[in-house]
Amino acid sequence: MKSCPNQTSSIASTQRRTLWILSTAQIFSGFGAGAVVSTGSLLAVEMTGSPAWAGSITTASTLGGAFASAALSRLAFSKGRRFSLSTGLAIAALGSVLVIVSALLSFFPLLLLSGCMIGFGAAVNLQARFAATDLALPQHRGRDLSLIMWMSTVGAIAGPNMTGPGKLVGAWLGIPALSGIFVFSAIGMVAAMAVLTVGLRPDPYLLSCKLGSTQDNSPRSRFFEGVKALWEYKKARVALATIISSQAIMVAIMSMTPVHMDTHGASIEVVGLTVSLHIAGMYALSPVMGLLSDKLGPQPMMLLGIFAILVSAVTAAFSYSSVPTSIVALILLGLGWSASTVAASTLLNDAVPGPIRVATQGASDALMGVAGGFGGALAGVMLATIGYLGLGIVGAVIAGITIVIVFSQSR
C-alpha cells in the first residue's frame, strides 16, 4: 500500500485517536471481568452448596466469550469494529443485571446464563487489542496491542476491590451482598459502550479496508476458515498453542484461588485484593511486554511467559493456607499470562496475511475462550477430587509441555 505524506500523517492521527478511544472504553469495561473472578465463584458455591461448582460461572463466562469472539469477529468483518464491540458490551451489561436477578431468585441456571453473557464483555476486551492494530505500523503492532491490554488495568483492578462498596449498594437496593458488585459492572459496560459508539469514528477496520490493507471478500472470513488458516501457518500454530495453554492454566488456577483462600479463612476483602493484584500482573506491564516483544521477538517472550506460569503453578500448589504465598503465585501467574499472550498475539498478527487476519483473530480468541472454559470447569472438579495441590501440579505439567512445543518449533 502506497501512501502520500499527507495521507500517512492522517492515518497516524486517526490511529492515535483510535488508541485513546479504545483505551478509555477498556477502563470502564474492565470492571466486569474483575467482578466475575472475585465473587462469581463464591456466588456459585453459595447457590449450589458445593465447591465442585466453584468454577462454573468462570467456565460459563469463558465459553460465552468463545462464542462471542467468533460472532463479534464476523460482525467486525461485515459492519466494523465500532458496531461489533458496542454490541458485545450491550450483551455483557444485560448479563451483569441478570446476575443480580439470579442472586435474588437463587436460581443457579440463570447465573450460568448471566456468566455467558458477561463473557461477551471479556471477548470485547480481547478483540479491542486487535482493533488497535488495524491501522498500526507493522513495527508498532506489539506496542499498540499491549497498550490496549494495559488500559484494562484500572477497571480490572478496581473491580474486585468494589466488593465492600458493592455490599453497601446491595444493602441499599435490597439485593444479596455478593451481587452488589455487579451494579458497578453493568454501569461500566454501558459507559464503555457509549464511549465506543460515539468516539470510534472513523471505524479503524473499515478505514483499513478502504486503504486496501485488510479487506477480505472471500469465504475465508468464516470461523472454520480462520481455524484452517491458523493451522496452515507454522508460526500461527505456535502462537495458538501458547495462547490456549496460557489461558487454560490461568483460568483454572485463578478461578479456584478465591475458593481455596475462603476455605482457609481469608476474608472476601483479602480475596478481592489478591484477585486485583493478579489482574494487575495480567495488564499493568503489558506495554513493557509489547515493547520487549517488538524488540526481542515474540517467541523468546512466549517462552519467558510460559516459564513464569509454570513457576506460579508450582508456587500455588504448595501455598497451603499461606495468603502471602497465594498472592505471589497469582501475581506471577498474571505476569506470565501477560508476557505469553501479548507475544503470541503479536506473532499471530504477523504470521498470517492481512486479508484473513480478522478471521484468524476471531478463531484464536474463540479457541482461547474454549480452553479457558474447559480449564475453569475441570478446575472445580479437580479441586473437589485432588485438591488445590493437584490442580497446581497439573497446571505446571501443561506449562512444561507447552515450553517444549514452543522451543522445538522456534528452532
Side-chain angles (χ1 to χ4, degrees):
M1 178 182 68
K2 294 182 179 180
S3 303
C4 65
N6 287 340
Q7 185 185 41
T8 301
S9 176
S10 177
I11 294 171
S13 176
T14 301
Q15 173 67 352
R16 287 193 295 271
R17 174 179 168 79
T18 297
L19 293 176
W20 274 107
I21 295 299
L22 291 172
S23 297
T24 303
Q26 289 288 86
I27 293 174
F28 291 120
S29 62
F31 278 97
V36 170
V37 173
S38 61
T39 61
S41 58
L42 299 177
L43 268 173
V45 172
E46 185 179 271
M47 286 188 189
T48 62
S50 171
W53 291 98
S56 58
I57 187 169
T58 303
T59 299
S61 177
T62 50
L63 290 178
F67 171 79
S69 294
L72 295 180
S73 67
R74 185 72 178 180
L75 277 179
F77 169 74
S78 60
K79 296 190 176 182
R81 299 284 190 187
R82 180 168 59 88
F83 184 83
S84 171
L85 299 178
S86 298
T87 299
L89 289 168
I91 294 172
L94 179 59
S96 296
V97 173
L98 289 180
V99 168
I100 299 171
V101 176
S102 72
L104 283 168
L105 300 176
S106 193
F107 188 47
F108 183 62
L110 183 57
L111 178 67
L112 296 182
L113 175 62
S114 306
C116 286
M117 297 173 71
I118 291 175
F120 276 73
V124 167
N125 287 346
L126 287 173
Q127 293 207 1
R129 78 193 194 280
F130 287 128
T133 68
D134 287 333
L135 298 173
L137 295 172
Q139 64 268 31
H140 294 319
R141 281 179 183 150
R143 181 198 67 185
D144 291 356
L145 181 152
S146 61
L147 174 64
I148 300 307
M149 290 182 64
W150 178 58
M151 293 307 294
S152 301
T153 306
V154 177
I157 291 177
N161 285 299
M162 297 301 287
T163 50
K167 288 181 180 178
L168 296 177
V169 170
W172 182 60
L173 295 176
I175 60 178
L178 286 176
S179 67
I181 191 173
F182 288 92
V183 173
F184 299 110
S185 173
I187 292 172
M189 296 293 184
V190 171
M193 180 179 65
V195 168
L196 292 177
T197 301
V198 174
L200 202 60
R201 301 170 186 269
D203 187 284
Y205 177 70
L206 296 181
L207 178 57
S208 69
C209 289
K210 289 181 181 179
L211 296 171
S213 60
T214 60
Q215 190 168 16
D216 178 11
N217 295 317
S218 74
R220 292 177 68 85
S221 61
R222 298 186 182 130
F223 170 75
F224 290 109
E225 292 297 334
V227 174
K228 181 180 177 182
L230 286 171
W231 185 254
E232 287 177 349
Y233 296 90
K234 175 182 175 181
K235 289 184 177 180
R237 291 198 302 270
V238 175
L240 182 64
T242 302
I243 288 171
I244 286 176
S245 61
S246 298
Q247 182 73 1
I249 299 167
M250 187 275 292
V251 170
I253 295 177
M254 172 192 68
S255 60
M256 291 303 103
T257 298
V259 180
H260 169 71
M261 295 178 69
D262 182 65
T263 301
H264 288 284
S267 68
I268 191 171
E269 288 78 14
V270 172
V271 171
L273 174 63
T274 302
V275 172
S276 291
L277 292 173
H278 163 68
I279 295 175
M282 291 174 66
Y283 298 115
L285 294 181
S286 54
V288 176
M289 306 301 184
L291 289 170
L292 288 174
S293 182
D294 286 339
K295 186 176 180 62
L296 303 177
Q299 285 160 304
M301 287 299 295
M302 288 159 55
L303 287 169
L304 178 63
I306 301 167
F307 179 74
I309 291 175
L310 188 155
V311 175
S312 74
V314 173
T315 304
F318 294 97
S319 63
Y320 301 114
S321 60
S322 171
V323 170
T325 304
S326 295
I327 292 175
V328 170
L330 281 203
I331 291 174
L332 192 57
L333 180 66
L335 290 171
W337 180 90
S338 178
S340 61
T341 302
V342 168
S345 298
T346 303
L347 180 63
L348 176 65
N349 218 47
D350 294 338
V352 297
I356 58 171
R357 194 168 288 147
V358 171
T360 56
Q361 289 167 357
S364 171
D365 280 354
L367 293 172
M368 179 182 183
V370 170
F374 277 107
L378 293 176
V381 175
M382 284 190 282
L383 184 68
T385 54
I386 61 177
Y388 194 67
L389 171 64
L391 173 64
I393 291 174
V394 170
V397 170
I398 295 173
I401 293 172
T402 307
I403 289 173
V404 172
I405 293 173
V406 175
F407 183 77
S408 64
Q409 295 295 314
S410 301
R411 298 175 64 182

